[in-house]
Amino acid sequence: MNSPAEDILQNIITIDKNNTAAVYVQIAQHIINAVQRGYFSVGTLLPGTRSLSNLLKIHRNTAVAVYDELASQGWVEIVPNKGTFVLNPIRQKPIVGNFNELKNEEYPTKTGFHFYESAHLASPYEKVETIYTFNDGQTDIRLHTDKQYNRWYNAVLKRTSVIKKWNTFLFDQSSFLSTQLCNYLNATRNLHIAPKNLLTTRSTEMNLYLVAQLLLKPNDVVLVGNVSNFAANMIFHQAKANIKTIPIDENGLDVSFIKKNFTKNSIRCVYCTPQRHYPTTNSLSAQRRLQLMQLAKEYGFAIIEDDFDFDFQFDATPMPPMASADTNGLIIYLGKVGQALFPAFETGFIVAPENLITEVKNYYRMIDPQGDLIKEQILAEVIHEGEMHRQVKKKILLYKARRDTMCEALKNTFGDLITFNKPNGGLALFIQFNKPISLVKLSDQVSKYNVTLPKHLLYQTKNMCGIRLGFGHLNLEEINHTIQMLKKAYDDLTVK
């Protein structure tokens, strides 16, 4: 006859042979869960390792490993010649330091020294406390499976070669990833680069920060669109650059404005998002791309081409990046890959002539010497095996349907109250109200319907009353619901 503890274990423990986790880890997790649920009280004597192995039909060494794992985490105490007893780590007496000699009981609220504060780096993001929220164009985390993620991760961790790569990481960062990513970028973006022209980083924001450190000195002139990427503007402000704006229209940046209003050698760089201008999603026309590149050569400025959502193209073959036609070394090409995979695999990259990449690598190694070798190894293998192409192709079909649903919902719900263009790709669109309203009040009002409209998505100027609305993170039902709630909030403010 089994003991009560044995009966409980027999009922709660299941071993999944398809699970990548070791058997002893699976069993230990089941026992931890049982302790947390109160099935085992503190002091309960668990079956011996021989009994546990017979009960669960596992090797005795596996049973020993189970109790060793539980003991290392503080869930049980193994008493020689007596047995294994359940503990409760939460109730264990904490280690308390002796602070009686300290004069102040509270930690200081302010420093006793001066430091440089920056108003430009205040986060624009807001805490979301509603059921639904809009964003500026992110993927849907719910589409990604943990099992696939775990399988990729565990496969890399089991390779003995990873330890060797860790030891040489500072001297040969991600050579496998660099090779594979070069192949991917050359195939998808018509580039002609080698690993010496490429640096991978953790994000597009890090890309731009590194480039700004190399490129800009205080008061250098940086040109951006008269509505532009707020994160990029924060980075340029922090570099103490002199930011000036260029008008934008349905064809993107008005390049002729540069020639009319600036002289040679007066501009340090132009920041642009030609594929889909942020936030309006308008593409920079082919003619203006050529004009901008010619002007960069004539005036002696750099072009920072930020291509943050190139992989999501729905309706036609995307126009190649300007960097693919750069023969004068004037373009610094920024982007990211991995959005179609698990979010943790999103990786930024910088493409530029070798001399700049060499220098920017020095900065990168200083601020992030360790990097994320496991993630980069996985990403390299995903590209090498063709999984990146398959995932991108699969996600494009899904996000295209969401874009179409968002456009249809806006058209049916708002009618001629708004104007917007259907973007040819990306994960967001830009709407403008034909009759200006207070967008801040609209944001406050729609929160009453359990929808968050973050302030950093609002663009209200003398000539513009617009919102950048992401659709990638919402399913079809959620898209229709949130647009209806947005219309209710609009009616609350305008209908008398």
Side-chain angles (χ1 to χ4, degrees):
M1 182 176 178
N2 291 341
S3 69
E6 289 176 332
D7 287 336
I8 293 173
L9 292 174
Q10 198 166 34
N11 288 327
I12 67 169
I13 293 177
T14 56
I15 300 172
D16 182 1
K17 294 182 179 180
N18 294 321
N19 194 322
T20 55
V23 171
Y24 79 91
V25 172
Q26 294 184 49
I27 297 172
Q29 289 174 342
H30 282 299
I31 295 176
I32 291 171
N33 185 263
V35 174
Q36 291 174 323
R37 291 173 177 268
Y39 295 157
F40 294 125
S41 59
V42 176
T44 298
L45 175 65
L46 295 178
T49 55
R50 193 184 305 277
S51 297
L52 185 66
S53 63
N54 293 332
L55 184 70
L56 302 180
K57 296 180 174 55
I58 58 176
H59 196 280
R60 190 179 178 189
N61 288 342
T62 303
V64 172
V66 170
Y67 286 156
D68 285 344
E69 177 69 16
L70 292 171
S72 69
Q73 295 188 37
W75 292 100
V76 301
E77 180 182 12
I78 301 174
V79 181
N81 301 320
K82 290 187 177 182
T84 302
F85 299 88
V86 172
L87 299 175
N88 188 339
I90 298 175
R91 294 180 182 176
Q92 291 184 38
K93 186 177 180 180
I95 300 173
V96 180
N98 184 2
F99 302 108
N100 293 333
E101 296 181 1
L102 292 178
K103 295 180 180 180
N104 297 321
E105 296 183 357
E106 296 183 359
Y107 195 77
T109 57
K110 293 184 178 181
T111 60
F113 51 84
H114 173 72
F115 65 94
Y116 298 101
E117 300 182 48
S118 176
H120 306 304
L121 296 183
S123 175
Y125 299 106
E126 305 166 30
K127 183 179 179 180
V128 176
E129 297 180 342
T130 58
I131 296 176
Y132 306 99
T133 183
F134 288 108
N135 60 41
D136 65 345
Q138 276 82 53
T139 56
D140 189 346
I141 193 173
R142 298 170 297 184
L143 300 176
H144 308 282
T145 62
D146 292 340
K147 289 184 178 180
Q148 180 65 69
Y149 174 77
N150 291 335
R151 187 156 54 246
W152 287 334
Y153 221 91
N154 288 330
V156 169
L157 284 173
K158 291 176 182 177
R159 293 189 178 89
T160 56
S161 61
V162 171
I163 302 299
K164 181 179 179 181
K165 290 177 181 177
W166 253 318
N167 294 333
T168 61
F169 188 72
L170 283 174
F171 308 100
D172 186 23
Q173 283 181 302
S174 306
S175 58
F176 182 42
L177 174 59
S178 295
T179 300
Q180 296 305 317
L181 187 53
C182 280
N183 293 338
Y184 181 77
L185 296 176
N186 289 340
T188 58
R189 291 157 171 79
N190 199 33
L191 298 175
H192 307 281
I193 60 171
K196 63 184 179 182
N197 306 120
L198 177 72
L199 172 68
T200 58
T201 71
R202 294 181 184 262
S203 68
T204 52
E205 291 78 15
M206 183 177 284
N207 293 343
L208 193 56
Y209 179 81
L210 290 169
V211 169
Q213 292 302 304
L214 283 177
L215 205 61
L216 300 176
K217 293 181 179 178
N219 299 317
D220 278 349
V221 174
V222 176
L223 303 186
V224 301
N226 62 1
V227 285
S228 184
N229 187 332
F230 65 93
N233 290 346
M234 289 168 67
I235 291 171
F236 295 142
H237 274 299
Q238 185 62 19
K240 297 181 174 58
N242 183 6
I243 301 176
K244 295 185 179 294
T245 59
I246 311 170
I248 58 170
D249 56 27
E250 65 276 7
N251 292 313
L253 295 175
D254 183 359
V255 179
S256 63
F257 179 87
I258 302 175
K259 194 162 188 175
K260 294 176 183 176
N261 294 274
F262 297 92
T263 58
K264 293 181 180 181
N265 301 316
S266 66
I267 305 167
R268 188 69 179 107
C269 69
V270 173
Y271 171 81
C272 59
T273 51
Q275 195 64 236
R276 277 172 286 277
H277 176 73
Y278 188 103
T280 66
T281 75
N282 295 334
S283 297
L284 188 64
S285 67
Q287 181 181 3
R288 289 188 178 180
R289 292 180 185 219
L290 290 174
Q291 290 174 346
L292 182 59
M293 293 174 67
Q294 291 169 358
L295 203 58
K297 182 179 179 181
E298 180 183 350
Y299 276 39
F301 59 77
I303 299 172
I304 301 177
E305 181 179 11
D306 191 345
D307 209 355
F308 58 90
D309 64 358
F310 181 93
D311 281 338
F312 298 107
Q313 188 72 24
F314 305 142
D315 296 328
T317 302
M319 195 178 301
M322 291 190 297
S324 66
D326 179 25
T327 59
N328 298 299
L330 295 169
I331 297 177
I332 303 171
Y333 181 62
L334 314 179
K336 61 182 176 180
V337 294
Q339 303 100 303
L341 306 174
F342 201 83
F345 292 144
E346 286 192 14
T347 297
F349 63 82
I350 303 172
V351 171
E354 182 180 358
N355 62 332
L356 187 137
I357 292 296
T358 299
E359 193 64 26
V360 79
K361 279 183 178 179
N362 293 334
Y363 274 82
Y364 183 52
R365 287 168 180 164
M366 178 177 64
I367 65 175
D368 191 17
Q370 184 174 343
D372 191 339
L373 179 61
I374 301 298
K375 182 189 80 170
E376 294 178 0
Q377 182 74 12
I378 294 170
L379 184 61
E381 294 185 7
V382 168
I383 295 173
H384 178 67
E385 294 170 0
E387 184 65 19
M388 178 74 82
H389 284 284
R390 289 190 289 271
Q391 288 292 334
V392 169
K393 187 175 181 180
K394 179 180 178 181
K395 297 300 192 302
I396 281 176
L397 295 176
L398 186 145
Y399 289 126
K400 179 180 180 181
R402 295 186 178 188
R403 178 207 60 179
D404 293 344
T405 298
M406 174 72 90
C407 291
E408 193 66 21
L410 287 168
K411 181 180 177 182
N412 293 337
T413 306
F414 282 91
D416 58 4
L417 296 174
I418 63 173
T419 300
F420 68 92
N421 292 320
K422 189 176 185 178
N424 57 15
L427 299 175
L429 50 79
F430 191 75
I431 67 170
Q432 293 198 67
F433 291 94
N434 295 327
K435 183 179 179 180
I437 63 169
S438 170
L439 296 181
V440 172
K441 290 183 179 180
L442 180 65
S443 173
D444 293 338
Q445 189 64 27
V446 76
S447 66
K448 298 178 181 179
Y449 296 105
N450 251 324
V451 178
T452 295
L453 179 61
K455 302 294 192 300
H456 69 271
L457 305 183
L458 312 180
Y459 293 85
Q460 188 130 33
T461 65
K462 181 179 179 181
N463 301 315
M464 178 178 291
C465 181
I467 308 174
R468 181 176 169 90
L469 294 177
F471 53 79
H473 66 298
L474 301 170
N475 62 34
L476 305 187
E477 181 180 348
E478 291 166 344
I479 289 172
N480 284 307
H481 176 76
T482 52
I483 295 302
Q484 288 173 7
M485 296 304 101
L486 189 63
K487 179 58 162 59
K488 281 188 175 183
Y490 177 87
D491 290 340
D492 291 342
L493 298 179
T494 58
V495 177
K496 297 181 180 179

